Amino acid sequence: MAEITTDELPESLQTLFIEVERTKTPLTVIQKGKPLAIVYPATSETKRAPCSVRNQVIAHQY
């Protein structure tokens, strides 16, 4: 799995990630009317995947 820093993301996406962290509320990304990914806020209990991903961005595909 690839890694990316938040500095490499568009500013609008950085803002959304900051809001997820601030509110502790998941963000669902919709594509063509269907959930594509869910971004959850990282917690101290968040377990790392075998492939480390910086900032603990976890996506679920439906």
Side-chain angles (χ1 to χ4, degrees):
M1 189 176 294
E3 290 185 357
I4 186 170
T5 66
T6 54
D7 292 337
E8 298 172 83
L9 299 171
E11 189 174 330
S12 59
L13 192 51
Q14 291 180 38
T15 302
L16 290 171
F17 284 166
I18 290 168
E19 190 67 11
V20 167
E21 179 182 38
R22 185 184 70 75
T23 64
K24 306 294 186 228
T25 303
L27 169 70
T28 302
V29 179
I30 305 294
Q31 182 180 40
K32 298 180 182 176
K34 294 183 180 180
L36 174 68
I38 301 174
V39 179
Y40 291 94
T43 66
S44 59
E45 295 90 34
T46 303
K47 294 182 179 180
R48 288 190 166 267
C51 296
S52 173
V53 178
R54 193 174 295 152
N55 296 333
Q56 293 295 308
V57 176
I58 302 170
H60 297 273
Q61 188 172 0
Y62 292 86

